[in-house]
């Protein structure tokens, strides 16, 4: 169902792009516009129905539903990203740590590996491009709506860090938070403290991240 949704969304994007291009030509066909508009509306309806079926499947499975609700509680993570993560991580059981998920998505820095330069780190050219793109969009939303991430972005920007390096770091921070709330079975709160497991001195009374 999720694959079908992706195909329908892609088809809708193609039609919208074509319609935008036709709107700039001097001679336009009213009939073509009507057919395209009808097709896009039909795709909108089909996408909505598929999304409802996906939601229904999640709701009827206790384990899926529990993790889904935990994941969407994280600022920047919406239904599409949550569903993609659940599917590709095996409901966080197959890919069971944030670092593995980061590596899978291709956003985990590999200092000694070949890849694209982002700031002073290298990002693996391998990875799930769709998940990476979704996490980037989620990071943009998090920076906009989450004070913690917004302050982090502004701080790194003042330090002269490039935009894409900062957003890559935000994506990683989101993943650590996602795995933390799933592991602890605790919904995200605005005052939630998500510690990096690489920190040496972690207060035992603070929730730890996967």
């Amino acid at each position: 169902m999720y694959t079908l949704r992706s195909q329908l969304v892609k088809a809708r994007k193609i039609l919208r792009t074509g319609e935008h291009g036709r709107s700039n030509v001097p001679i336009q066909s009213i009939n073509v516009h009507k057919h395209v508009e009808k097709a896009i509306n039909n795709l909108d309806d089909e996408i909505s129905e598929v999304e409802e079926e996906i939601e229904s499947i999640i709701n009827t499975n206790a384990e899926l539903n529990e993790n889904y609700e935990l994941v969407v509680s994280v600022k920047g993570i919406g239904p599409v990203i949550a569903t993609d993560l659940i599917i590709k991580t095996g409901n966080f059981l197959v890919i069971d740590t944030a670092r593995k998920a980061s590596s899978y998505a291709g956003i985990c820095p590999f200092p000694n590996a070949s890849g694209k330069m982002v700031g002073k780190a290298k990002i693996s050219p391998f990875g799930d491009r769709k998940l990476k793109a979704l996490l980037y969009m989620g990071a943009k939303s998090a920076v906009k709506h989450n004070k913690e991430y917004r302050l982090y972005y502004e701080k790194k920007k003042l330090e002269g860090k490039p935009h894409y390096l900062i957003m890559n770091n935000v994506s990683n921070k989101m993943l650590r938070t996602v795995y933390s709330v799933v592991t602890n079975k605790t919904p995200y709160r605005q005052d939630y403290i998500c510690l990096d497991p690489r920190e040496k001195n972690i207060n035992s009374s603070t929730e730890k991240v996967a």
Side-chain angles (χ1 to χ4, degrees), residues 43-114:
L43 285 170
D44 286 339
D45 293 338
E46 290 296 328
I47 291 169
S48 294
E49 288 184 19
V50 171
E51 288 176 343
E52 288 176 3
E53 290 190 44
I54 292 173
E55 185 178 354
S56 177
I57 293 171
I58 292 174
N59 289 338
T60 55
N61 184 298
E63 293 180 358
L64 289 177
N65 187 57
E66 180 182 29
N67 284 344
Y68 177 85
E69 294 298 331
L70 288 168
V71 174
V72 294
S73 73
V74 178
K75 293 290 185 181
I77 304 292
V80 175
I81 301 177
T83 303
D84 200 69
L85 280 171
I86 286 173
I87 291 172
K88 291 173 180 176
T89 64
N91 200 24
F92 305 100
L93 296 175
V94 178
I95 299 178
D96 57 357
T97 69
R99 181 156 184 91
K100 289 179 183 178
S102 176
S103 179
Y104 177 84
I107 61 173
C108 183
F110 293 91
N112 298 320
S114 60

Side-chain angles (χ1 to χ4, degrees), residues 99-170:
R99 181 156 184 91
K100 289 179 183 178
S102 176
S103 179
Y104 177 84
I107 61 173
C108 183
F110 293 91
N112 298 320
S114 60
K116 184 179 179 181
M117 290 297 295
V118 180
K120 293 183 179 180
K122 290 184 178 181
I123 303 301
S124 172
F126 307 103
D128 190 300
R129 292 187 177 183
K130 181 175 181 180
L131 179 56
K132 181 178 181 179
L134 287 174
L135 289 171
Y136 176 80
M137 296 303 295
K140 288 179 64 177
S141 177
V143 168
K144 183 178 180 180
H145 300 290
N146 187 310
K147 183 178 180 181
E148 176 192 352
Y149 291 138
R150 184 166 64 253
L151 291 175
Y152 173 84
Y153 180 89
E154 292 172 354
K155 176 184 176 183
K156 294 301 178 182
K157 199 70 175 175
L158 288 173
E159 293 175 1
K161 303 295 184 183
H163 171 74
Y164 285 104
L165 173 62
I166 302 173
M167 297 306 288
N168 191 77
N169 291 346
V170 172

